[in-house]
Amino acid sequence: MHTTRDIRTPVVKPAIAALMEDAGTGLDYGTRPDRLPGLLTPLDRFFVRNHAPTPRLDARTWTLCVEGAGVRRAVRYTYDDLWRRFPLVSVVRTMECAGNRRALFGVEHGRRFGGVQWGRGAIATAEWTGIPLRDLLEPAGLTDAAVEVMPEGLDEARGRRPMPLAKALAPDTLLALAMNGEILPPDHGFPARVLVSGWLGAASIKWVGRIEVSDRPLSVPWNTEDYVIVGPGRPAVPITSTPVASLVELPWPARLHPGPQTIRGRAYAGEDRVTAVDYRIDDGPWLPAALDGPGLAGVWTRWRFPWDPAPGAHIVRVRATDEHGRSQPDTTPWNDLGYCHTSVLPHPVVVT
Protein backbone atom coordinates (compact mmCIF):
# COMPACT_ATOMS: atom_id res chain seq x y z
CA MET A 1 0.00 0.00 0.00
CA HIS A 2 1.61 3.23 -1.14
CA THR A 3 1.04 6.40 0.87
CA THR A 4 2.54 9.84 0.70
CA ARG A 5 2.36 12.60 3.24
CA ASP A 6 3.41 16.23 3.24
CA ILE A 7 4.67 16.76 6.80
CA ARG A 8 3.99 20.51 6.51
CA THR A 9 0.26 19.97 6.19
CA PRO A 10 -0.96 17.44 8.78
CA VAL A 11 -4.56 18.32 7.90
CA VAL A 12 -5.56 18.73 4.25
CA LYS A 13 -8.49 21.12 4.33
CA PRO A 14 -7.93 24.74 5.37
CA ALA A 15 -9.03 25.34 8.95
CA ILE A 16 -10.56 28.78 8.53
CA ALA A 17 -11.09 30.54 11.84
CA ALA A 18 -14.44 31.90 10.67
CA LEU A 19 -15.70 28.32 10.32
CA MET A 20 -13.67 26.16 12.69
CA GLU A 21 -12.10 26.26 16.16
CA ASP A 22 -8.42 25.36 16.48
CA ALA A 23 -8.00 22.89 19.36
CA GLY A 24 -4.29 23.71 19.52
CA THR A 25 -2.81 20.36 18.46
CA GLY A 26 -2.28 21.06 14.76
CA LEU A 27 -4.41 17.99 14.04
CA ASP A 28 -7.79 18.75 15.57
CA TYR A 29 -10.36 21.38 14.61
CA GLY A 30 -13.88 21.83 15.95
CA THR A 31 -17.04 22.96 14.21
CA ARG A 32 -18.08 26.46 15.27
CA PRO A 33 -21.59 26.14 16.78
CA ASP A 34 -22.50 29.60 15.48
CA ARG A 35 -21.70 28.56 11.90
CA LEU A 36 -24.25 25.78 11.43
CA PRO A 37 -26.54 26.71 8.53
CA GLY A 38 -28.71 23.58 8.34
CA LEU A 39 -29.28 20.07 9.61
CA LEU A 40 -26.17 18.83 7.79
CA THR A 41 -22.74 20.25 8.55
CA PRO A 42 -20.94 21.48 5.40
CA LEU A 43 -17.66 19.70 4.70
CA ASP A 44 -15.63 22.90 5.05
CA ARG A 45 -16.54 23.08 8.76
CA PHE A 46 -17.09 19.44 9.75
CA PHE A 47 -14.86 18.84 12.78
CA VAL A 48 -11.57 16.98 12.32
CA ARG A 49 -10.20 14.59 14.94
CA ASN A 50 -6.86 13.04 13.98
CA HIS A 51 -4.40 10.99 16.03
CA ALA A 52 -1.74 11.44 13.34
CA PRO A 53 -1.42 13.50 10.16
CA THR A 54 -3.99 12.78 7.46
CA PRO A 55 -2.52 10.11 5.16
CA ARG A 56 -2.65 10.69 1.40
CA LEU A 57 -3.89 7.36 0.11
CA ASP A 58 -4.09 6.33 -3.53
CA ALA A 59 -7.43 4.68 -4.34
CA ARG A 60 -5.82 2.92 -7.32
CA THR A 61 -3.59 0.82 -5.04
CA TRP A 62 -5.70 0.81 -1.86
CA THR A 63 -7.36 -2.44 -0.80
CA LEU A 64 -9.55 -3.52 2.09
CA CYS A 65 -8.97 -6.93 3.64
CA VAL A 66 -11.57 -8.77 5.74
CA GLU A 67 -9.94 -11.58 7.71
CA GLY A 68 -9.63 -13.20 11.12
CA ALA A 69 -10.58 -16.27 13.13
CA GLY A 70 -14.28 -15.38 12.87
CA VAL A 71 -14.50 -15.84 9.09
CA ARG A 72 -13.99 -18.87 6.87
CA ARG A 73 -11.86 -17.09 4.29
CA ALA A 74 -10.04 -13.80 3.84
CA VAL A 75 -11.57 -11.45 1.29
CA ARG A 76 -9.90 -8.45 -0.32
CA TYR A 77 -11.72 -5.57 -2.03
CA THR A 78 -10.42 -2.81 -4.28
CA TYR A 79 -11.89 0.67 -4.38
CA ASP A 80 -13.58 -0.11 -7.70
CA ASP A 81 -15.05 -3.28 -6.19
CA LEU A 82 -16.85 -1.23 -3.55
CA TRP A 83 -18.47 1.08 -6.08
CA ARG A 84 -19.35 -1.58 -8.65
CA ARG A 85 -20.28 -4.72 -6.74
CA PHE A 86 -22.47 -3.53 -3.89
CA PRO A 87 -25.68 -1.54 -3.48
CA LEU A 88 -25.12 1.82 -1.80
CA VAL A 89 -27.25 3.27 0.98
CA SER A 90 -27.33 6.76 2.51
CA VAL A 91 -28.07 7.63 6.13
CA VAL A 92 -27.98 10.92 8.02
CA ARG A 93 -26.05 10.50 11.27
CA THR A 94 -24.37 12.73 13.82
CA MET A 95 -20.80 12.05 14.90
CA GLU A 96 -19.41 13.22 18.24
CA CYS A 97 -15.99 12.80 19.81
CA ALA A 98 -16.24 11.39 23.33
CA GLY A 99 -13.96 14.23 24.47
CA ASN A 100 -16.32 16.94 23.25
CA ARG A 101 -16.59 19.80 25.81
CA ARG A 102 -13.52 18.54 27.71
CA ALA A 103 -12.27 22.08 28.32
CA LEU A 104 -15.64 23.00 29.86
CA PHE A 105 -15.57 19.79 31.90
CA GLY A 106 -12.26 20.95 33.32
CA VAL A 107 -13.67 24.37 34.22
CA GLU A 108 -16.58 22.65 35.99
CA HIS A 109 -14.18 20.71 38.22
CA GLY A 110 -11.49 23.39 38.50
CA ARG A 111 -8.86 21.15 36.95
CA ARG A 112 -7.51 20.77 33.42
CA PHE A 113 -7.79 17.35 31.84
CA GLY A 114 -5.18 15.89 29.53
CA GLY A 115 -6.11 15.30 25.91
CA VAL A 116 -7.52 17.58 23.24
CA GLN A 117 -9.04 20.69 24.81
CA TRP A 118 -12.32 20.63 22.94
CA GLY A 119 -14.92 23.31 23.43
CA ARG A 120 -18.39 22.51 22.07
CA GLY A 121 -17.41 21.79 18.47
CA ALA A 122 -16.34 18.12 18.30
CA ILE A 123 -19.72 17.19 16.89
CA ALA A 124 -21.25 17.41 13.41
CA THR A 125 -23.80 15.74 11.15
CA ALA A 126 -23.56 14.43 7.59
CA GLU A 127 -25.36 12.28 5.08
CA TRP A 128 -23.10 9.24 4.79
CA THR A 129 -23.21 7.07 1.67
CA GLY A 130 -21.68 3.64 1.55
CA ILE A 131 -22.12 -0.09 1.92
CA PRO A 132 -23.65 -1.80 4.96
CA LEU A 133 -20.73 -3.45 6.70
CA ARG A 134 -22.60 -6.74 6.86
CA ASP A 135 -22.60 -6.90 3.04
CA LEU A 136 -18.79 -6.83 3.08
CA LEU A 137 -18.49 -9.41 5.86
CA GLU A 138 -20.88 -11.91 4.29
CA PRO A 139 -18.58 -13.00 1.40
CA ALA A 140 -15.91 -13.89 3.98
CA GLY A 141 -18.27 -16.39 5.60
CA LEU A 142 -18.97 -15.49 9.22
CA THR A 143 -18.53 -18.47 11.53
CA ASP A 144 -20.75 -19.29 14.49
CA ALA A 145 -17.81 -18.36 16.71
CA ALA A 146 -17.56 -14.75 15.45
CA VAL A 147 -18.05 -12.28 18.30
CA GLU A 148 -16.32 -8.97 17.45
CA VAL A 149 -15.41 -6.91 14.40
CA MET A 150 -12.46 -4.50 14.45
CA PRO A 151 -11.68 -2.04 11.64
CA GLU A 152 -8.09 -0.78 11.48
CA GLY A 153 -6.92 2.50 9.94
CA LEU A 154 -3.94 3.14 7.67
CA ASP A 155 -2.74 6.32 9.34
CA GLU A 156 0.44 6.38 11.43
CA ALA A 157 -1.58 5.80 14.61
CA ARG A 158 -3.10 2.61 13.17
CA GLY A 159 -6.34 3.44 14.96
CA ARG A 160 -8.49 0.41 15.71
CA ARG A 161 -11.42 -0.36 17.97
CA PRO A 162 -13.60 -3.47 18.18
CA MET A 163 -17.39 -3.58 18.24
CA PRO A 164 -19.75 -6.48 18.98
CA LEU A 165 -20.81 -8.50 15.96
CA ALA A 166 -24.43 -7.37 16.41
CA LYS A 167 -23.40 -3.71 16.08
CA ALA A 168 -21.30 -4.48 13.00
CA LEU A 169 -24.29 -6.19 11.38
CA ALA A 170 -26.71 -3.34 12.13
CA PRO A 171 -28.20 -1.88 8.92
CA ASP A 172 -26.85 1.61 9.70
CA THR A 173 -23.26 0.51 10.35
CA LEU A 174 -21.59 1.38 7.06
CA LEU A 175 -18.34 1.46 5.22
CA ALA A 176 -18.75 5.04 4.03
CA LEU A 177 -17.38 6.23 0.69
CA ALA A 178 -19.04 9.65 0.50
CA MET A 179 -20.45 12.34 2.77
CA ASN A 180 -22.93 15.06 1.92
CA GLY A 181 -23.01 13.89 -1.68
CA GLU A 182 -19.26 14.22 -2.23
CA ILE A 183 -16.44 11.69 -2.31
CA LEU A 184 -15.09 11.25 1.21
CA PRO A 185 -12.48 13.98 1.82
CA PRO A 186 -8.98 12.94 2.98
CA ASP A 187 -9.39 14.34 6.50
CA HIS A 188 -12.59 12.35 6.92
CA GLY A 189 -11.24 9.00 5.87
CA PHE A 190 -10.75 8.71 2.08
CA PRO A 191 -10.92 6.18 0.48
CA ALA A 192 -13.22 4.56 3.07
CA ARG A 193 -14.17 4.85 6.71
CA VAL A 194 -16.51 3.01 9.03
CA LEU A 195 -19.66 4.71 10.34
CA VAL A 196 -20.81 3.25 13.67
CA SER A 197 -24.12 5.03 14.20
CA GLY A 198 -24.72 6.57 17.61
CA TRP A 199 -21.34 5.60 19.05
CA LEU A 200 -18.41 7.85 19.87
CA GLY A 201 -16.47 9.12 16.88
CA ALA A 202 -13.41 6.96 17.66
CA ALA A 203 -15.41 3.86 16.71
CA SER A 204 -15.89 5.19 13.16
CA ILE A 205 -12.36 4.35 12.03
CA LYS A 206 -10.99 6.41 9.15
CA TRP A 207 -8.75 5.28 6.28
CA VAL A 208 -9.74 1.65 6.83
CA GLY A 209 -7.44 -0.96 5.30
CA ARG A 210 -8.25 -4.04 7.35
CA ILE A 211 -11.25 -5.47 9.19
CA GLU A 212 -10.62 -8.27 11.65
CA VAL A 213 -13.47 -10.57 12.61
CA SER A 214 -12.52 -12.32 15.85
CA ASP A 215 -13.76 -15.35 17.74
CA ARG A 216 -12.92 -13.73 21.08
CA PRO A 217 -13.14 -10.29 22.68
CA LEU A 218 -10.34 -8.01 21.53
CA SER A 219 -8.34 -5.68 23.76
CA VAL A 220 -6.53 -2.75 22.15
CA PRO A 221 -5.47 0.66 23.50
CA TRP A 222 -8.66 2.35 22.28
CA ASN A 223 -10.91 0.17 24.43
CA THR A 224 -8.66 -0.41 27.45
CA GLU A 225 -6.53 2.71 27.96
CA ASP A 226 -8.23 5.43 25.90
CA TYR A 227 -11.86 6.11 25.07
CA VAL A 228 -12.86 4.53 28.37
CA ILE A 229 -14.55 5.84 31.51
CA VAL A 230 -12.13 5.30 34.34
CA GLY A 231 -11.62 6.89 37.74
CA PRO A 232 -10.44 6.24 41.28
CA GLY A 233 -11.59 2.79 42.32
CA ARG A 234 -13.37 2.20 39.01
CA PRO A 235 -12.24 -0.21 36.31
CA ALA A 236 -12.02 1.08 32.74
CA VAL A 237 -15.32 0.79 30.86
CA PRO A 238 -15.20 1.28 27.06
CA ILE A 239 -17.40 4.11 25.81
CA THR A 240 -20.06 3.23 23.25
CA SER A 241 -23.02 5.61 22.86
CA THR A 242 -22.51 9.18 24.03
CA PRO A 243 -24.91 10.73 26.59
CA VAL A 244 -27.58 13.34 25.91
CA ALA A 245 -26.27 16.90 25.59
CA SER A 246 -27.09 20.18 23.85
CA LEU A 247 -25.46 23.27 22.42
CA VAL A 248 -26.57 26.81 21.68
CA GLU A 249 -25.78 28.16 18.21
CA LEU A 250 -24.03 31.23 19.59
CA PRO A 251 -20.39 32.10 20.24
CA TRP A 252 -19.05 31.56 23.77
CA PRO A 253 -19.44 34.13 25.23
CA ALA A 254 -22.15 35.64 23.01
CA ARG A 255 -23.00 39.27 22.32
CA LEU A 256 -26.50 40.13 21.11
CA HIS A 257 -28.50 43.23 20.33
CA PRO A 258 -31.68 43.84 22.31
CA GLY A 259 -35.06 43.09 20.76
CA PRO A 260 -37.10 40.01 19.81
CA GLN A 261 -35.06 37.19 18.30
CA THR A 262 -34.89 33.42 18.01
CA ILE A 263 -32.25 31.39 19.86
CA ARG A 264 -31.41 28.11 18.15
CA GLY A 265 -29.38 25.04 18.92
CA ARG A 266 -28.92 21.29 18.67
CA ALA A 267 -29.37 18.35 21.04
CA TYR A 268 -27.97 14.86 20.60
CA ALA A 269 -28.35 11.59 22.52
CA GLY A 270 -26.10 9.05 20.77
CA GLU A 271 -28.04 5.91 19.90
CA ASP A 272 -31.22 7.36 21.42
CA ARG A 273 -33.73 10.00 20.34
CA VAL A 274 -33.99 13.47 21.85
CA THR A 275 -37.58 13.94 22.98
CA ALA A 276 -37.52 17.27 24.83
CA VAL A 277 -35.43 20.41 25.22
CA ASP A 278 -36.03 23.03 27.92
CA TYR A 279 -34.36 26.39 28.45
CA ARG A 280 -33.87 28.79 31.30
CA ILE A 281 -32.87 32.46 31.24
CA ASP A 282 -30.94 33.58 34.34
CA ASP A 283 -32.94 32.52 37.42
CA GLY A 284 -36.25 32.20 35.57
CA PRO A 285 -38.32 29.04 35.20
CA TRP A 286 -37.53 26.19 32.87
CA LEU A 287 -39.61 26.49 29.70
CA PRO A 288 -40.06 24.10 26.73
CA ALA A 289 -38.22 24.85 23.50
CA ALA A 290 -39.78 23.99 20.15
CA LEU A 291 -38.25 20.96 18.42
CA ASP A 292 -37.68 21.13 14.68
CA GLY A 293 -36.62 17.51 14.24
CA PRO A 294 -35.75 15.20 12.76
CA GLY A 295 -36.33 13.35 16.05
CA LEU A 296 -34.36 10.24 15.02
CA ALA A 297 -31.95 8.07 16.95
CA GLY A 298 -28.35 8.80 16.04
CA VAL A 299 -29.10 12.29 14.68
CA TRP A 300 -29.09 15.61 16.46
CA THR A 301 -32.38 17.44 16.86
CA ARG A 302 -32.74 21.15 16.16
CA TRP A 303 -34.53 23.29 18.74
CA ARG A 304 -35.43 26.99 19.16
CA PHE A 305 -37.09 29.45 21.48
CA PRO A 306 -38.06 33.14 21.27
CA TRP A 307 -36.30 35.69 23.44
CA ASP A 308 -36.69 39.42 23.87
CA PRO A 309 -33.67 40.13 26.07
CA ALA A 310 -33.11 43.23 28.14
CA PRO A 311 -29.70 44.92 27.95
CA GLY A 312 -27.15 43.48 30.35
CA ALA A 313 -25.43 40.19 31.20
CA HIS A 314 -27.45 36.98 31.06
CA ILE A 315 -26.97 33.24 31.46
CA VAL A 316 -28.79 30.90 29.08
CA ARG A 317 -29.15 27.28 30.12
CA VAL A 318 -30.48 24.46 27.94
CA ARG A 319 -31.39 20.96 29.10
CA ALA A 320 -32.11 18.10 26.71
CA THR A 321 -33.90 14.84 27.55
CA ASP A 322 -33.72 11.54 25.69
CA GLU A 323 -36.40 8.94 25.00
CA HIS A 324 -35.59 7.09 28.23
CA GLY A 325 -36.24 10.18 30.34
CA ARG A 326 -32.56 10.89 30.99
CA SER A 327 -31.90 14.64 31.19
CA GLN A 328 -28.69 16.61 31.31
CA PRO A 329 -27.52 16.98 34.92
CA ASP A 330 -26.17 20.12 36.59
CA THR A 331 -22.76 18.45 36.93
CA THR A 332 -21.00 15.45 35.37
CA PRO A 333 -19.19 13.03 37.69
CA TRP A 334 -15.42 13.13 37.39
CA ASN A 335 -13.60 10.63 35.19
CA ASP A 336 -9.84 10.67 34.72
CA LEU A 337 -9.80 11.22 30.95
CA GLY A 338 -12.50 13.90 30.74
CA TYR A 339 -14.95 12.03 28.54
CA CYS A 340 -18.72 12.28 28.06
CA HIS A 341 -19.35 15.68 29.58
CA THR A 342 -23.12 16.07 29.64
CA SER A 343 -23.83 18.90 32.09
CA VAL A 344 -26.19 21.80 31.48
CA LEU A 345 -23.90 24.63 30.37
CA PRO A 346 -24.20 28.19 31.71
CA HIS A 347 -23.91 30.02 28.38
CA PRO A 348 -22.87 33.65 28.95
CA VAL A 349 -24.65 36.27 26.86
CA VAL A 350 -24.18 40.04 26.93
CA VAL A 351 -26.95 42.16 25.38
CA THR A 352 -25.84 45.63 24.32
Side-chain angles (χ1 to χ4, degrees), residues 299-323:
V299 186
W300 62 18
T301 289
R302 303 179 73 186
W303 55 261
R304 58 185 162 83
F305 65 83
W307 189 26
D308 187 0
H314 300 277
I315 297 294
V316 174
R317 292 179 172 85
V318 176
R319 181 181 64 201
T321 301
D322 70 17
E323 61 186 304

Side-chain angles (χ1 to χ4, degrees), residues 236-268:
V237 177
I239 300 165
T240 55
S241 180
T242 51
V244 63
S246 59
L247 63 84
V248 180
E249 293 174 26
L250 291 174
W252 184 294
R255 303 188 72 88
L256 300 176
H257 296 295
Q261 51 202 285
T262 298
I263 305 301
R264 296 181 175 87
R266 319 283 166 123
Y268 178 59

Side-chain angles (χ1 to χ4, degrees), residues 33-230:
D34 60 324
R35 294 293 186 270
L36 294 171
L39 177 69
L40 304 184
T41 308
L43 298 184
D44 62 1
R45 66 202 73 183
F46 199 104
F47 83 95
V48 175
R49 172 65 176 116
N50 279 2
H51 292 80
T54 295
R56 276 59 160 178
L57 302 178
D58 187 342
R60 295 170 298 180
T61 57
W62 173 89
T63 60
L64 171 65
C65 183
V66 178
E67 60 186 0
V71 294
R72 293 182 173 85
R73 67 194 71 85
V75 176
R76 190 173 294 273
Y77 301 106
T78 67
Y79 190 63
D80 284 346
D81 288 336
L82 299 181
W83 284 106
R84 294 175 181 175
R85 288 177 50 185
F86 298 94
L88 299 177
V89 300
S90 295
V91 298
V92 173
R93 291 293 183 270
T94 297
M95 189 172 293
E96 181 179 30
C97 178
N100 194 27
R101 315 200 316 173
R102 181 180 280 125
L104 298 167
F105 199 176
V107 170
E108 181 178 304
H109 284 272
R111 178 178 168 186
R112 188 181 189 274
F113 292 97
V116 181
Q117 296 303 297
W118 291 115
R120 300 171 295 143
I123 184 171
T125 297
E127 180 194 66
W128 306 90
T129 297
I131 303 159
L133 194 58
R134 61 189 182 187
D135 290 355
L136 298 171
L137 301 179
E138 181 181 354
L142 292 170
T143 71
D144 292 339
V147 294
E148 287 195 338
V149 175
M150 184 171 69
E152 181 176 332
L154 292 170
D155 61 331
E156 292 177 3
R158 281 298 191 267
R160 58 198 186 279
R161 198 174 198 269
M163 70 185 97
L165 180 63
K167 186 65 173 175
L169 298 180
D172 59 353
T173 298
L174 307 183
L175 185 75
L177 304 175
M179 58 189 296
N180 290 353
E182 299 184 31
I183 295 297
L184 205 63
D187 294 318
H188 298 293
F190 178 84
R193 76 174 298 165
V194 173
L195 171 70
V196 184
S197 295
W199 280 30
L200 75 164
S204 294
I205 300 296
K206 299 191 281 188
W207 314 296
V208 176
R210 176 176 179 266
I211 298 176
E212 178 182 354
V213 183
S214 72
D215 59 357
R216 57 184 174 80
L218 296 171
S219 295
V220 296
W222 281 15
N223 72 345
T224 58
E225 302 169 13
D226 206 355
Y227 298 110
V228 295
I229 298 294
V230 63

